[in-house]
């Protein structure tokens, strides 16, 4: 009953005309930000942060939060229709764009919108009921635990990659090597920069994502001399009942995964989308279709993306620790208004905490009303020939990349990865495992080195801690399971005895562990 009373108290503040306008403004700006390649919520919130001085405290926080989770809705549009992702919509390029090529763009966008609504709703329930308790979960994880968690994440390669396992692992290792470019965090030594000053800060995630997905797809279609547009023909929005039954389990599964990973520092939407996609490829009844335009490949990652964006507020408001750069800006907004996020925030500023929680559900409804009915209009804008569409895509890719650091070097880097991505497409090598390795590699290295420093060079810290030991046990079980599944598949294929593992390493692993 206390929770219902608190939510009613929060809706009193969230449903005032002033806060409703700020919520609608934040959601609209966030959706538009998500549509533009490269221009994410981080740069938008940083630009709008000075404006919060003249806006009431509650309205300012509601607006900034709306921009953040609203962008998670909008970024699926460019990923699905043009294969131009943001950091949190990389996985949407896989099945979402395949659905576009099959003439199911409207269905894919509708699925992303509804799944995001489901993910946001589940995350809000988690946020309102368990925020204080879940906020302390982040304190239980040490460097060894995070290292084991990141190591487990690498086993998502066999799910994210729909082709050969060896190709997927090779691409993941390339991503890890790219993530090592830049200045070493501990020693301050420049690594693999080739004496180029702009590489001292590392290679930008947006440059790789836009290059390997967006520009590479443009070059590929130009090479094929494709003059048609995948948006021609009848637009189908509403899923059939069998399709709807496929959406709900995947969206709920992604919502749970996103809600959990959103709490952990370093998690957030970027990691949650890969984890949800891996879960779908393992547990979905139609897992063999995922990777070639399955509706589950859109629903699960969209729900996880939105859920992680909402629950990422838990570490900030419950224990005062921002888990990513956007949350650090949100923390700055709190401090500018004279509010210190942390354990005492719920007690000292209940109107702000519960008002912000209630506004998230209001914003969720705004975003559904804003995005789902407008799907036909989004597609109408894209109903243009490729000869006109491609220059526009290239223009927005360059603008989005340049806007991050205001540097032409970022544009050159994006162009280089566009050509590399095109070569990957011609060689039938997928870029998704590369992105996974690029994201997890630096986090794995940093936490591994911290764990070794704390244990004075001993590996015992990884098995003495319960969380780390449990995760390592799961990794061991996954490896055994993978070897058994591989052996069974080879025996079934050849009709003979189980071959040695070394004889079959060049074969393609089936889409299951």
């Amino acid at each position: 009953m206390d929770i219902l009373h608190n939510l009613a108290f929060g809706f009193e503040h969230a449903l005032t005309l002033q806060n409703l306008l700020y919520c609608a403004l934040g959601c609209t700006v966030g959706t538009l930000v998500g549509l533009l390649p490269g221009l994410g919520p981080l740069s938008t919130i940083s630009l709008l942060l000075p404006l919060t001085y003249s806006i009431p405290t509650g309205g300012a926080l509601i607006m900034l939060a709306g921009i953040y989770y609203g962008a998670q809705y909008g970024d699926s549009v460019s990923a699905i229709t043009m294969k131009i992702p943001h950091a949190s919509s990389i996985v949407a390029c896989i099945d979402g764009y395949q659905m576009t090529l099959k003439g199911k763009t409207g269905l894919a966008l509708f699925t992303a919108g509804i799944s995001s609504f489901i993910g946001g709703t589940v995350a809000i329930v988690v946020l309102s009921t368990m925020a204080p308790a879940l906020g302390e979960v982040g304190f239980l994880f040490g460097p060894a635990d995070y290292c084991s968690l990141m190591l487990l994440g690498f086993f998502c390669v066999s799910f994210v990659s729909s082709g050969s396992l060896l190709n997927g692992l090779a691409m993941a290792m390339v991503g890890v090597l790219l993530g090592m470019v830049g200045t070493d965090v501990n020693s301050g030594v420049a690594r693999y920069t080739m004496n180029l000053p702009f590489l001292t800060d590392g290679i930008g995630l947006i440059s790789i994502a836009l290059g390997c997905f967006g520009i590479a797809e443009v070059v590929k279609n130009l090479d094929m001399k494709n003059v048609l547009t995948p948006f021609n023909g009848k637009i189908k929005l509403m899923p059939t009942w069998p399709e709807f039954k496929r959406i709900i389990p995947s969206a709920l599964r992604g919502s749970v995964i996103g809600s959990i990973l959103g709490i952990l520092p370093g998690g957030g939407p970027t990691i949650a989308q890969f984890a949800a996609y891996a879960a779908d490829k393992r547990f979905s009844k139609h897992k063999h279709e995922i990777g070639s335009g399955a509706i589950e490949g859109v629903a699960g990652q969209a729900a996880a993306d939105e859920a992680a964006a909402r629950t990422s507020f838990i570490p900030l408001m419950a224990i005062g620790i921002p888990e990513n750069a956007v949350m650090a800006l949100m923390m700055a907004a709190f401090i500018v208004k004279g509010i210190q996020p942390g354990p005492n925030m719920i007690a000292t500023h209940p109107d702000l905490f519960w008002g912000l929680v209630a506004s998230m559900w209001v914003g969720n409804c705004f975003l559904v009303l804003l995005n789902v009915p407008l799907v036909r209009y989004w597609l109408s804008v894209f109903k243009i020939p490729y000869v006109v569409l491609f220059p526009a895509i290239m223009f927005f890719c360059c603008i989005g990349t340049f806007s991050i650091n205001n540097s032409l070097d970022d544009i050159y880097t994006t162009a280089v990865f566009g050509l590399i991505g095109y070569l990957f497409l011609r060689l039938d090598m997928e870029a998704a495992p590369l992105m996974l390795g690029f994201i997890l590699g630096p986090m794995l290295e940093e936490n591994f080195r911290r764990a070794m420093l704390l244990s004075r060079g001993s590996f015992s810290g990884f098995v003495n801690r319960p969380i780390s030991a449990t995760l390592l046990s799961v990794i061991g079980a996954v490896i055994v399971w993978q070897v058994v599944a591989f052996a069974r598949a080879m025996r079934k294929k050849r009709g003979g005895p189980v071959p040695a593992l070394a004889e079959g390493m060049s074969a393609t692993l089936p889409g299951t562990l």
Side-chain angles (χ1 to χ4, degrees):
M1 294 301 294
D2 289 339
I3 294 175
L4 295 178
H5 173 75
N6 291 331
L7 286 175
F9 177 68
F11 276 111
E12 278 185 39
H13 293 271
L15 294 178
T16 62
L17 180 60
Q18 176 179 262
N19 287 339
L20 284 174
L21 290 176
Y22 284 122
C23 183
L25 178 62
C27 292
T28 303
V29 172
T31 300
L32 294 176
V33 164
L35 289 172
L36 298 176
L39 186 61
L42 179 62
S43 55
T44 305
I45 291 177
S46 62
L47 290 174
L48 296 180
L49 190 60
L51 298 179
T52 58
Y53 285 99
S54 58
I55 299 177
T57 302
L61 298 177
I62 287 173
M63 182 185 70
L64 295 179
I67 292 174
Y68 179 45
Y69 58 75
Q72 313 305 318
Y73 267 76
D75 61 11
S76 296
V77 177
S78 59
I80 291 172
T81 56
M82 296 181 291
K83 204 177 180 181
I84 300 180
H86 288 256
S88 58
S89 61
I90 294 171
V91 176
C93 291
I94 303 174
D95 284 87
Y97 189 70
Q98 288 298 319
M99 291 183 70
T100 291
L101 296 179
K102 294 179 180 180
K104 299 180 180 179
T105 313
L107 178 61
L109 291 175
F110 182 87
T111 300
I114 293 300
S115 300
S116 295
F117 178 80
I118 295 173
T121 301
V122 171
I124 292 167
V125 172
V126 173
L127 182 62
S128 60
T129 56
M130 295 181 282
L134 290 178
E136 299 178 1
V137 172
F139 284 130
L140 300 178
F141 277 73
D145 305 318
Y146 278 116
C147 181
S148 300
L149 182 63
M150 296 302 108
L151 191 61
L152 179 62
F154 273 102
F155 285 87
C156 292
V157 169
S158 58
F159 296 110
V160 174
S161 176
S162 58
S164 168
L165 175 62
L166 290 182
N167 286 349
L169 290 174
M171 294 294 285
M173 291 301 103
V174 172
V176 171
L177 293 175
L178 291 174
M180 296 177 69
V181 175
T183 304
D184 180 38
V185 177
N186 292 332
S187 65
V189 176
R191 303 185 300 187
Y192 312 118
T193 59
M194 297 176 288
N195 293 324
L196 297 175
F198 70 92
L199 288 180
T200 54
D201 292 331
I203 302 173
L205 175 63
I206 295 299
S207 295
I208 298 180
L210 291 181
C212 289
F213 287 97
I215 295 180
E217 191 66 27
V218 169
V219 177
K220 175 188 173 184
N221 283 279
L222 289 176
D223 187 38
M224 296 171 59
K225 297 182 172 60
N226 191 351
V227 296
L228 300 176
T229 169
F231 311 105
N232 286 332
K234 184 178 179 180
I235 298 173
K236 176 189 176 184
L237 288 181
M238 294 299 296
T240 61
W241 178 243
E243 290 172 335
F244 194 73
K245 288 194 295 184
R246 293 174 61 175
I247 292 174
I248 296 301
S250 181
L252 291 176
R253 193 160 45 236
S255 301
V256 173
I257 293 172
S259 297
I260 295 173
L261 292 179
I263 300 169
L264 302 177
T270 305
I271 303 297
Q273 59 177 328
F274 283 100
Y277 191 76
D280 280 326
K281 290 200 72 174
R282 174 64 189 92
F283 298 107
S284 173
K285 294 180 179 179
H286 305 273
K287 53 190 173 187
H288 297 295
E289 299 179 20
I290 297 179
S292 58
I295 200 168
E296 291 89 348
V298 176
Q301 66 84 27
D305 183 16
E306 192 66 30
R310 309 297 177 103
T311 55
S312 60
F313 282 86
I314 291 178
L316 174 63
M317 294 194 292
I319 57 180
I321 297 178
E323 71 151 29
N324 53 43
V326 177
M327 288 299 104
L329 284 177
M330 288 296 301
M331 185 174 186
F334 276 99
I335 295 174
V336 163
K337 292 297 184 178
I339 301 167
Q340 180 61 48
N344 296 325
M345 179 182 169
I346 300 177
T348 57
H349 301 281
D351 54 333
L352 290 178
F353 177 83
W354 292 107
L356 185 58
V357 171
S359 73
M360 289 184 182
W361 194 84
V362 175
N364 220 19
C365 297
F366 268 131
L367 288 167
V368 169
L369 296 176
L370 180 65
N371 284 274
V372 174
L374 291 180
V375 167
R376 294 184 182 274
Y377 298 99
W378 297 133
L379 298 183
S380 297
V381 172
F382 293 123
K383 277 188 174 181
I384 52 180
Y386 274 142
V387 292
V388 179
L389 183 63
F390 281 169
I393 293 174
M394 300 290 283
F395 173 77
F396 282 116
C397 284
C398 293
I399 293 297
T401 305
F402 180 80
S403 64
I404 299 173
N405 297 314
N406 295 328
S407 173
L408 288 174
D409 293 325
D410 291 337
I411 297 180
Y412 301 146
T413 305
T414 304
V416 169
F417 278 101
L419 295 177
I420 295 175
Y422 170 69
L423 293 177
F424 288 156
L425 290 174
R426 293 299 299 267
L427 296 173
D428 200 23
M429 306 281 284
E430 299 181 61
L434 182 147
M435 299 303 303
L436 181 64
F438 181 79
I439 294 168
L440 293 181
M443 300 169 65
L444 175 63
E445 179 194 11
E446 182 179 350
N447 285 288
F448 175 77
R449 295 173 72 173
R450 287 179 179 175
M452 296 303 290
L453 286 173
L454 291 175
S455 62
R456 297 182 180 181
S458 173
F459 288 94
S460 60
F462 291 94
V463 294
N464 291 337
R465 293 183 60 85
I467 296 177
S468 177
T470 302
L471 292 173
L472 291 176
S473 300
V474 172
I475 292 173
V478 168
I479 293 174
V480 173
W481 186 6
Q482 188 170 352
V483 171
V484 172
F486 174 82
R488 287 180 177 177
M490 291 301 299
R491 181 172 58 182
K492 183 177 180 181
K493 180 178 179 180
R494 297 184 179 183
V498 178
L501 182 62
E503 296 177 1
M505 285 303 291
S506 60
T508 299
L509 187 71
T512 179
L513 279 179

